[in-house]
Amino acid sequence: MKILLIGATGLLGKAVKKELEDEHEIIEAALEDADINVDMTKLNQIREMFEKVGKVDAVISTAGDAPFVPLEELTPELNDVGIESKLKGQINLVLIGMEYVNDGGSFTLTTGILMDDPIPKGTSSAMANGAIAGFVKSAAIELPRRIRINNVSPNVFSEASKDHRDTFQGFEPVSIEKVALAFRKSVNGKQTGQTYKVY
């Protein structure tokens, strides 16, 4: 398959590429240092990316930012970071990318454990994750041409920085290789509308 991987240069993106590259052609997209540089908060850049890449069999997103701050410090402006990047950015990949995905192809988006198991400072991320999961479930019944859509919802990675792991008090981290397997399930499988929880 020809797979467009957005967020390819990040920790998760690299693991997903490693999991899939032996059997599929991976086109890397990221903010910088990738086959295609794209800021997915910019609609014109998403459109230009798909125009350059052309038809693909799968689109994977491991990208998207959201602020980690206490709720009392979460201003509308800060919250917009999560809305514009993790939420709208990933959803716009689907809305714009539908016509570029071949019949029977797939989208796989990234959410996260915080939509099910909240922590202090995680409200903005939880909001984006939950909205994406809802979008995936609903879009799955309407996508044309047998196109599938799923999302992967991981726990904190054991490979994440100590500071990031310390934010998730009492959580048992999961290996990034295990998370990457869920992307394999989504891309190589036949299910749609699913949230693959790797907790």
Side-chain angles (χ1 to χ4, degrees):
M1 281 188 269
K2 181 180 178 183
I3 299 174
L4 175 60
L5 173 59
I6 300 102
T9 59
L11 188 63
L12 180 56
K14 289 177 181 177
V16 171
K17 181 189 176 192
K18 183 179 179 182
E19 178 63 36
L20 297 173
E21 65 185 347
D22 286 347
E23 59 183 293
H24 301 300
E25 175 191 356
I26 309 293
I27 301 165
E28 299 182 43
L31 277 171
E32 55 187 10
D33 301 324
D35 298 326
I36 296 176
N37 294 337
V38 63
D39 179 348
M40 67 181 191
T41 68
K42 310 293 185 188
L43 292 176
N44 63 315
Q45 291 193 29
I46 294 175
R47 291 189 175 102
E48 288 169 5
M49 173 184 67
F50 279 111
E51 281 294 318
K52 288 177 184 176
V53 173
K55 292 287 189 178
V56 296
D57 299 297
V59 176
I60 297 172
S61 172
T62 60
D65 293 325
F68 276 76
V69 296
L71 185 64
E72 291 181 348
E73 298 175 19
L74 184 62
T75 63
E77 292 79 10
L78 271 177
N79 196 44
D80 278 346
V81 173
I83 292 171
E84 293 296 325
S85 178
K86 187 158 194 178
L87 176 53
K88 285 176 62 178
Q90 291 197 95
I91 289 173
N92 287 335
L93 290 174
V94 178
L95 298 180
I96 295 171
M98 275 188 289
E99 64 180 287
Y100 296 92
V101 173
N102 290 324
D103 293 3
S106 69
F107 290 94
T108 308
L109 309 182
T110 299
T111 53
I113 193 171
L114 296 185
M115 65 182 175
D116 295 318
D117 199 350
I119 63 171
K121 303 182 182 180
T123 299
S124 188
S125 183
M127 170 207 65
N129 292 339
I132 293 164
F135 173 83
V136 165
K137 187 174 183 179
S138 184
I141 69 170
E142 289 197 83
L143 278 168
R145 299 182 286 105
R146 306 184 320 281
I147 295 172
R148 300 179 299 104
I149 185 170
N150 299 298
N151 70 103
V152 175
S153 176
N155 196 347
V156 63
F157 310 139
S158 53
E159 295 83 357
S161 69
K162 183 180 184 303
D163 285 347
H164 191 65
R165 293 196 312 273
D166 286 349
T167 304
F168 290 77
Q169 290 293 311
F171 287 67
E172 183 175 356
V174 297
S175 74
I176 204 160
E177 290 84 4
K178 184 177 180 181
V179 177
L181 285 173
F183 287 87
R184 171 181 287 278
K185 178 187 283 189
S186 180
V187 170
N188 287 4
K190 293 297 183 183
Q191 295 179 351
T192 191
Q194 301 298 304
T195 296
Y196 296 124
K197 298 179 180 182
V198 190
Y199 300 169

